Amino acid sequence: MRAATLLSAGFLASLADALVITRAAIDKCLVDAGVPIDVKGTDDYKRDVAPFNVRLPYTPTAISVPLTTKHIQDSVKCGKKLGIKVSAKSGGHSYASFGFGGENGHLVVELDRMYNVTYDATKNIATVQPGARLGHVATVLYEQYNRAIAHGTCPGVGVSGHFLHGGFGFSSHMHGLALDFVDSVTVVLADGSVVEASSTENTDLLWGIKGAGSNFGIVAAWKLTTFEAPAVLTRFGLSLGWNKSTAVAGLEAVEKYAKNIQPREVNFRIGDYNKGQPGIEGLYYGTPAQWRKAFQPLLDTLPAGYNVSDPQQLNWIEAVISYSNYDNVDWITPSPQENFYAKSLTLKGLNGTSAQNFVDYYFDVANNVVDRFWFFQLDMHGGKNSQVTKVAPDATSYAHRDKLYIIQFYDRYENNQTYPATSFGFLDGWVDATTKPLPESDWGAYANYADARLSRAVAEDQYYGDHLPRLQKLKAKFDPKQLFYYTQSVQPKA
Ligand SMILES: Cc1cc2nc3c(=O)[nH]c(=O)nc-3n(C[C@H](O)[C@H](O)[C@H](O)COP(=O)(O)OP(=O)(O)OC[C@H]3O[C@@H](n4cnc5c(N)ncnc54)[C@H](O)[C@@H]3O)c2cc1C
Ligand SMILES: *[C@@H]1O[C@H](CO)[C@@H](O)[C@H](O)[C@H]1NC(C)=O
Ligand SMILES: *[C@@H]1O[C@H](CO)[C@@H](O)[C@H](O)[C@H]1NC(C)=O
Ligand SMILES: *[C@@H]1O[C@H](CO)[C@@H](O)[C@H](O)[C@H]1NC(C)=O
Ligand SMILES: *[C@@H]1O[C@H](CO)[C@@H](O)[C@H](O)[C@H]1NC(C)=O
Ligand SMILES: *[C@@H]1O[C@H](CO)[C@@H](O)[C@H](O)[C@H]1NC(C)=O
């Protein structure tokens, strides 16, 4: 009854009035400063307010659309002045709609009109604007300069969200995380100042940016190192044919290989996109014949029943395109929307009871979820020869370099359906079963696969692990009043 009284017509009308007044004030502040904005109801507004995950739509108070660092700076100043939370949006591909703050009412700083990429060969530094998408960055670097960076596979993902929290893809075992390519950044801070963070200036800020970067400011420019685009790569794959009685042995064979044997040049993951038909897909730095030799120790130990597909030799951009599932990756617009819930695990290993629980749930529960599309992907992230592991665990705020695997779990309905609340238990149950036997120090979650349903305290802990206390101090230093708050942002603690 109390709720009914509170939500009286008069109360709602005054709330709506307050929103209109706030929106008018923030729009005026932005326009007065010369910052482009999206006017509500326009096509641009509709495009920019559309979330990648249609399950989580939010209504901003305003959307600014900067073209310069000064526009970003003035957006931050307007948010600060009017007491409105500010959220940067790069590619807008956050699983939890964190580009909107994960709630209504923020000033969204839509960065995706800033997508230019240039390269200085004398310094080996690419300068990338903060709203460029991965496919565009890869295309420009390759076509104009024959250079490359290791990053994820989706061409529509934004450089900023991706590089700020990790960035794992088909070159990461070979070359590291996307954030390992960050030389320096230009950042707009909560006080409205613009600073550089590099190995010589604001080094603590750079440390925080490389792993938990959505918490401290808005990155307005990236300076990235690159490697020469390889001319000879091999895309390989196999169908594993595992069943409930062979899958644990299969996982143990994979674990042995990934931990100690997998050469740096072998990149791969296990995935199932077809309800009980797991396979391996990967990219090798070398020819098909060299791949076969490097992979043979795993083939020798896998349970019988697998089939190896014909490996394909590709150059760099062909490999990027091949793994994108599109014909062209030079994107400056968002990916098609999806309606889903996702979770992740970072794991030191998946063996014994934990592997048995994962497999039992896979075959007994997951394979019976037949009314919709779901997948899991288990990435070979760490191990002795992985470039991810070669960087010291505390060198950046990314907290998972001691983890062998990243697993992503993804559960999707059609966009015209409602994701039912009763369906969350499907992935929750899989993750709970897998982690139940594990000590807390053996697992976490990956911030780039944000799980919108974790409480803020649990999310901080799973995403940032041992690095959390240091990140909370940094938050207190750079954003004590939480201008850049979102529903899972790091809490400031002095
Ligand atoms: C189809 C698809 C495929 C994917 N594949 C991979 C993959 O292969 N590997 C992988 O590691 N990940 C992958 N991801 C996850 C992806 O890396 C994350 O969702 C990433 O955070 C998205 O970045 P964005 O800029 O597009 O997102 P946004 O929603 O724009 O931003 C994400 C977060 O970063 C903040 N942010 C954005 N820009 C800035 C800025 N300039 N300064 C400060 N904070 C900022 C936002 O406020 C938000 O909190 C995939 C995601 C999708 C949707
Ligand atoms: C990108 O580069 C082009 C060509 O130099 C320039 O015209 C445009 O203004 C740049 N865009 C931004 C957002 O800086
Ligand atoms: C492997 O190929 C054989 C012959 O085509 C087929 O019968 C079998 O189902 C395949 N197994 C897997 C795991 O794809
Ligand atoms: C599981 O696969 C193995 C290897 O292909 C096979 O020998 C066994 O019969 C299968 N078991 C079941 C229960 O299908
Ligand atoms: C099993 O996994 C744990 C982490 O959960 C790891 O510490 C251990 O080394 C693994 N065991 C083997 C035999 O790989
Ligand atoms: C919902 O979307 C799916 C996929 O696009 C389509 O096949 C189906 O017909 C749609 N259903 C309705 C009721 O519109």
Side-chain angles (χ1 to χ4, degrees):
M1 282 301 95
R2 224 175 121 238
T5 324
L6 270 178
L7 295 177
S8 68
F11 178 78
L12 284 178
S14 59
L15 249 187
D17 284 351
L19 189 66
V20 170
I21 293 164
T22 319
R23 176 175 296 134
I26 186 83
D27 280 356
K28 179 170 188 313
C29 182
L30 292 164
V31 170
D32 285 352
V35 181
I37 62 166
D38 276 344
V39 175
K40 206 165 181 241
T42 60
D43 286 350
D44 274 356
Y45 183 90
K46 285 178 197 152
R47 169 195 190 278
D48 294 337
V49 84
F52 173 72
N53 187 354
V54 299
R55 192 175 68 77
L56 298 171
Y58 296 109
T59 307
T61 297
I63 303 178
S64 73
V65 191
L67 299 172
T68 64
T69 299
K70 175 82 167 39
H71 291 160
I72 299 174
Q73 186 182 19
D74 287 334
S75 301
V76 169
K77 285 182 179 167
C78 285
K80 181 179 172 228
K81 185 171 134 195
L82 294 167
I84 298 170
K85 301 293 180 198
V86 178
S87 292
K89 181 161 163 274
S90 172
H93 280 53
S94 165
Y95 283 10
S97 297
F98 287 155
F100 300 90
E103 61 180 15
N104 295 332
H106 286 220
L107 164 57
V108 172
V109 181
E110 172 62 69
L111 296 167
D112 86 340
R113 313 307 195 272
M114 297 178 73
Y115 54 76
N116 283 346
V117 178
T118 54
Y119 178 68
D120 180 345
T122 61
K123 296 186 187 143
N124 183 23
I125 291 290
T127 301
V128 176
Q129 289 188 332
R133 294 171 194 275
L134 298 181
H136 180 64
V137 176
T139 303
V140 174
L141 289 179
Y142 177 78
E143 286 183 353
Q144 298 185 24
Y145 311 105
N146 199 39
R147 305 298 298 184
I149 294 171
H151 51 66
T153 51
C154 180
V157 163
V159 66
S160 289
H162 191 71
F163 280 59
L164 289 169
H165 307 104
F168 188 89
F170 279 112
S171 284
S172 292
H173 195 272
M174 177 73 186
H175 283 297
L177 301 166
L179 60 77
D180 291 325
F181 289 81
V182 177
D183 173 74
S184 60
V185 282
T186 305
V187 189
V188 179
L189 296 176
D191 63 7
S193 63
V194 178
V195 300
E196 299 296 313
S198 69
S199 58
T200 54
E201 249 179 303
N202 294 303
T203 52
D204 57 347
L205 180 59
L206 187 69
W207 182 86
I209 292 276
K210 290 188 181 190
S214 46
N215 290 287
F216 309 110
I218 300 186
V219 172
W222 295 92
K223 292 225 184 314
L224 305 171
T225 59
T226 66
F227 55 89
E228 184 178 343
V232 179
L233 295 164
T234 297
R235 181 178 171 145
F236 61 91
L238 40 153
S239 51
L240 286 164
W242 292 352
N243 58 36
K244 200 179 162 187
S245 40
T246 59
V248 172
L251 284 172
E252 284 174 356
V254 167
E255 185 149 324
K256 252 188 213 129
Y257 179 74
K259 261 194 178 154
N260 292 308
I261 304 164
Q262 180 181 349
R264 183 178 167 198
E265 295 77 12
V266 174
N267 302 265
F268 76 102
R269 70 186 176 203
I270 299 173
D272 184 354
Y273 314 94
N274 209 356
K275 300 181 174 66
Q277 296 182 41
I280 280 178
E281 44 191 347
L283 187 68
Y284 178 74
Y285 274 67
T287 64
Q290 290 167 327
W291 164 70
R292 188 67 195 218
K293 214 172 148 214
F295 213 63
Q296 196 58 44
L298 177 58
L299 297 178
D300 288 344
T301 53
L302 282 176
Y306 63 82
N307 290 333
V308 179
S309 322
D310 270 347
Q312 268 179 293
Q313 187 175 315
L314 304 168
N315 70 26
W316 170 251
I317 202 69
E318 286 167 348
V320 171
I321 292 169
S322 168
Y323 271 114
S324 76
N325 293 324
Y326 292 94
D327 300 334
N328 175 327
V329 293
D330 190 4
W331 288 28
I332 54 168
T333 52
S335 308
Q337 294 171 288
E338 302 203 352
N339 179 17
F340 66 102
Y341 176 51
K343 296 179 86 73
S344 71
L345 280 177
T346 60
L347 292 174
K348 285 189 182 169
L350 183 53
N351 54 64
T353 315
S354 170
Q356 188 67 56
N357 289 356
F358 175 90
V359 164
D360 288 349
Y361 199 93
Y362 179 17
F363 287 91
D364 295 341
V365 181
N367 288 344
N368 295 320
V369 175
V370 293
D371 61 330
R372 56 196 194 263
F373 173 78
W374 56 264
F375 70 75
F376 79 84
Q377 280 175 346
L378 188 157
D379 283 307
M380 307 301 133
H381 167 270
K384 191 175 97 187
N385 299 320
S386 171
Q387 185 58 29
V388 175
T389 314
K390 285 184 183 153
V391 176
D394 299 331
T396 66
S397 57
Y398 181 75
H400 309 287
R401 293 196 199 265
D402 59 345
K403 306 299 192 305
L404 186 63
Y405 299 134
I406 297 178
I407 312 184
Q408 174 177 201
F409 302 86
Y410 196 96
D411 180 28
R412 190 184 80 187
Y413 281 80
E414 298 295 346
N415 289 352
N416 56 17
Q417 296 177 307
T418 300
Y419 188 102
T422 47
S423 288
F424 290 122
F426 165 38
L427 296 188
D428 288 345
W430 206 343
V431 164
D432 290 347
T434 307
T435 55
K436 203 167 173 217
L438 298 176
E440 265 184 40
S441 57
D442 278 7
W443 65 279
Y446 178 37
N448 263 343
Y449 298 144
D451 176 350
R453 286 171 58 257
L454 298 180
S455 73
R456 191 180 186 190
V458 169
E460 280 183 317
D461 192 46
Q462 293 190 6
Y463 298 156
Y464 307 120
D466 291 351
H467 292 157
L468 181 59
R470 194 169 158 191
L471 288 167
Q472 289 175 328
K473 277 205 185 85
L474 269 187
K475 183 70 175 177
K477 175 175 175 185
F478 287 105
D479 187 20
K481 293 188 179 152
Q482 305 189 67
L483 184 67
F484 302 116
Y485 169 85
Y486 57 94
T487 49
Q488 291 178 351
S489 55
V490 168
Q491 311 188 51
K493 285 198 186 139

